[in-house]
Amino acid sequence: MVRQHASVYQRSNGRLIVASLSRTAAGFGILNDSMQGAAADIEDSRLGVLVLEMMNASGLLPTPSPADYPLPQYRRLLALAGARSHKAFHTDCLSVDVYAAPDAEATSVVVVPTRNLGAKGGFEANRDLEERTSMADPAALGAAVRRGLARSE
C-alpha cells in the first residue's frame, strides 16, 4: 500500500498550491498530475478537504529517467505558482508535507513544516515541529496546515 502524501506550498503573495505526491518503483517521492491552486483566504475546512483529495490521489509511478526532467507536472507546479523558474519558485516559498500517519487505523495525518534550502537544496523536513491531527476533521487539518506553514522557514 502506498502512503498518502501531499505537499502544500505558500508563495510570498499568500497563494497556496496543494500537490499530490506519489512513490516511484525506486522508492522516492515525486509530484503526480494532481495539484490545485488556492487563494490565501481559503477556509480551513476547504483547505483540509483539498489536502485530503490530493493525499487520496497518491499512487505508484514509474521511475523517470534523467532525460525526463524537468517533469511535466513540475512545469505545471511552476505555472500554478506563477514562477518562471525553479529558482524563482523557491524564492520566499514556504512548504509543509502532509501524510497519513503509519498507525493501524490510518485515521491521523502528520503535518511537517519544512526549511526552504533554496533551488539547489529543496525543502527539508523539520520533524521537530511536526503535528498530528485527525483525518476525520478537515477544518482541523486545514488549521494544522496553516500552523505548519507559519512554522516553516
Side-chain angles (χ1 to χ4, degrees):
M1 183 170 140
V2 175
R3 179 166 65 178
Q4 297 170 309
H5 193 167
S7 287
V8 181
Y9 304 97
Q10 183 175 21
R11 301 283 292 148
S12 58
N13 63 5
R15 182 153 176 78
L16 300 171
I17 301 98
V18 185
S20 179
L21 287 103
S22 290
R23 288 269 170 227
T24 67
F28 61 91
I30 62 172
L31 291 169
N32 61 42
D33 292 329
S34 298
M35 60 187 76
Q36 187 170 331
D41 62 353
I42 187 173
E43 293 178 7
D44 286 349
S45 60
R46 179 65 191 125
L47 177 58
V49 167
L50 189 55
V51 169
L52 290 170
E53 287 173 0
M54 293 303 119
M55 289 174 61
N56 286 331
S58 296
L60 187 63
L61 294 175
T63 303
S65 76
D68 295 332
Y69 288 88
L71 297 172
Q73 55 268 40
Y74 189 73
R75 288 193 295 269
R76 183 164 172 242
L77 176 71
L78 293 180
L80 279 171
R84 292 182 169 207
S85 68
H86 180 69
K87 183 177 179 181
F89 176 73
H90 276 274
T91 301
D92 298 324
C93 188
L94 302 173
S95 173
V96 295
D97 287 330
V98 184
Y99 60 88
D103 57 17
E105 296 83 30
T107 59
S108 62
V109 176
V110 181
V111 178
V112 183
T114 67
R115 289 181 192 95
N116 184 342
L117 303 177
K120 290 187 179 180
F123 295 100
E124 176 184 69
N126 188 348
R127 299 221 181 273
D128 293 337
L129 299 176
E130 75 180 35
E131 177 180 345
R132 288 180 183 250
T133 189
S134 172
M135 245 189 223
D137 186 349
L141 174 55
V145 165
R146 287 194 195 281
R147 286 190 298 276
L149 288 168
R151 291 191 301 259
S152 294
E153 302 172 18

